[in-house]
Amino acid sequence: MNASSRRRIAVATGLLLTLALTTACSSGKESSGGDAVGKVDDKISLTYLQKQGDQEYFVGEAAGAKAKAEELGIDLKVVNLGNDANKTVSEVQSAVAQKTKGIIIVVPDPAVGPQVVQTAKDGNVALLTSDDQICTTGPAPASCGKDGLVPRIGFSGAQMGGEVGKRAAAEYEKAGWKAADTRVISAWKQDVTVCGDRVNAARKAFDAAVPGVKTINVATDNTPTGAQDKIAATITANSKVKNWVVWGCNDENAMGGVTALQNAGIGPDHVIGVGLGAYLACKEWQSDKKSGMKAALFINGKDVGALAVQTMYDKLKNGKPFPQEAFAPTTMVDASSWKDSGLTCS
C-alpha cells in the first residue's frame, strides 16, 4: 500500500469516527441539504468551494456562479480547494464561522462528505453540491442510499455517458473497424460516483450499437498526465491491438488516452477518442492536423455554476426546497461544429 492510499484510509476512518460521535446522540432522519434552514430576509452570502479550481471547466463554473450572484445581488466567495481533503474541511468550517448562509461544494474527495454535512448542519448553513456527489452517512456515495445523498446540481451521468457511447459507436461504424482488432479504453477515477455513472452508460450505449468489442477499464486520477501514464501501460500490454476507442469520465481521461496512443506511434486513423467536456478536445481542433480525438460532449461549467447559485437563492430567499438533482444541458461537438456551439477554447 502506498502513502497516498494510507492517507486516504486514515482520512476516511477519521471522518467516520467523527460522524459516529456527532450523530450518536441524535435521532430521526437527518437533513441532507439544509432543509431545516430558514428563509433569509437580508442580503444573502454564499461560499462556493471547488476542487481543481484552476481547471478550465471549474474556471467557467466559477464565472457562471459569479455572474448569477451579481445578477441576484448575492455576496459570493469562491475558494479553490485544489485536491486537498483537509483544506476542504477547514474551508467549510471557515465559511460557517464567517456566517455564510449557504455552501455550494465540489469535493476533491468524497470521503469528506459526512464531516462537511455535519459541519454545515451544526452551523445551520444550507448545503448543496455541484458536479460530484457526497453522502451524509459514509465516505462512498456509490454505497449511499438516495435519501443519504446531498442535493446536487450538475449533469446527468447516464445521459452524458450515453451520448459519448453512441458517438463512439457511430465513429466505429464509420471507420469500418472489426471487433477482433479493436479495444475500448474506459478511464476514470473509480471512487467518484458520477464518473462510474458516465463510463457505465457509455459502455451500455456502445454495446447496444456495436456489440462484441472488448473493454479495458483503466483506473486514473482524472488528470491528463495521470490518464496518459496509466493508459500508456495498457497500450504496451496490448501491443497487438490495431484500433482503439477511448472515453472516460472527463476530457482529461480521453485526451490522456489519445496522447498516449499518439506517443506509442498509433496514428489518428486508428484512434477514436470521444471526450467529455470538450475544453481540451477543442485544442486538438484548432489546426487542420488530424487528431484521434473525434468528438466530445460539451458541458458548460458556466451553466452549472449559475444554476447552483440560482437554486441556492431560491431556497434561501423563497423557501423553495432543493431538487434532489438538477441538470444543465449538453451538446456533442467535433472539429467542424465546436466553434458554433458557444465553446470557448483557450
Side-chain angles (χ1 to χ4, degrees):
M1 183 184 296
N2 60 33
S4 175
S5 297
R6 288 194 296 270
R7 283 196 301 271
R8 178 178 171 76
I9 291 171
V11 168
T13 302
L15 293 176
L16 286 172
L17 288 172
T18 299
L19 181 68
L21 290 171
T22 53
T23 59
C25 298
S26 65
S27 62
K29 184 177 177 181
E30 300 290 338
S31 169
S32 63
D35 289 340
V37 177
K39 291 169 64 175
V40 177
D41 294 325
D42 53 358
K43 190 167 187 176
I44 293 174
S45 60
L46 302 181
T47 305
Y48 209 129
L49 306 175
Q50 295 178 303
K51 71 177 183 181
Q52 300 172 352
D54 57 350
Q55 184 198 81
E56 193 159 345
Y57 169 82
F58 291 114
V59 170
E61 184 176 78
K66 290 174 182 176
K68 180 58 70 172
E70 183 177 359
E71 175 190 325
L72 297 173
I74 293 170
D75 286 333
L76 176 68
K77 180 181 180 182
V78 178
V79 179
N80 179 10
L81 302 172
N83 288 304
D84 191 335
N86 291 325
K87 184 176 182 181
T88 304
V89 175
S90 65
E91 289 291 350
V92 171
Q93 293 169 340
S94 176
V96 170
Q98 292 170 18
K99 306 300 183 182
T100 193
K101 301 298 184 182
I103 293 172
I104 305 168
I105 189 168
V106 194
V107 293
D109 187 334
V112 303
Q115 192 169 1
V116 166
V117 171
Q118 192 63 45
T119 303
K121 179 176 168 30
D122 291 345
N124 197 34
V125 173
L127 178 67
L128 182 66
T129 65
S130 69
D131 303 290
D132 298 342
Q133 289 177 316
I134 59 174
C135 181
T136 64
T137 57
S143 303
C144 191
K146 187 175 181 180
D147 289 345
L149 294 172
V150 175
R152 180 180 77 93
I153 305 298
F155 297 100
S156 165
Q159 181 269 332
M160 289 193 299
E163 292 300 316
V164 168
K166 289 175 188 175
R167 181 57 181 260
E171 295 289 341
Y172 172 91
E173 290 182 316
K174 184 169 70 174
W177 293 354
K178 295 180 179 178
D181 300 329
T182 307
R183 294 293 181 273
V184 173
I185 290 177
S186 181
W188 77 103
K189 192 172 188 291
Q190 297 184 352
D191 62 352
V192 178
T193 313
V194 294
C195 286
D197 293 342
R198 295 172 189 180
V199 297
N200 290 337
R203 176 76 257 179
K204 184 177 179 180
F206 185 86
D207 280 349
V210 286
V213 182
K214 293 181 180 178
T215 297
I216 302 172
N217 295 323
V218 181
T220 74
D221 61 0
N222 276 356
T223 68
T225 53
Q228 182 179 332
D229 291 344
K230 295 289 187 178
I231 293 171
T234 300
I235 297 165
T236 300
N238 295 271
S239 58
K240 294 184 180 179
V241 174
K242 181 180 178 182
N243 303 311
W244 294 90
V245 177
V246 185
W247 64 60
C249 178
N250 53 18
D251 249 28
E252 285 80 357
N253 281 290
M255 196 68 251
V258 169
T259 302
L261 288 161
Q262 179 181 318
N263 291 345
I266 298 170
D269 289 339
H270 296 280
V271 179
I272 295 171
V274 181
L276 205 162
Y279 44 85
L280 295 181
C282 65
K283 296 178 181 180
E284 289 285 285
W285 305 327
Q286 288 179 323
S287 71
D288 294 331
K289 185 179 178 181
K290 269 192 171 184
S291 172
M293 186 68 82
K294 298 301 191 292
L297 191 67
F298 174 32
I299 56 174
N300 194 340
K302 290 181 180 179
D303 291 341
V304 172
L307 182 57
V309 170
Q310 181 70 61
T311 303
M312 182 64 79
Y313 177 87
D314 290 342
K315 164 68 178 173
L316 295 176
K317 186 59 70 174
N318 303 318
K320 183 178 179 181
F322 286 143
Q324 189 59 41
E325 288 188 301
F327 301 134
T330 62
T331 306
M332 186 64 71
V333 296
D334 56 28
S336 66
S337 64
W338 72 270
K339 289 181 180 179
D340 297 326
S341 69
L343 172 61
T344 300
C345 198
S346 58

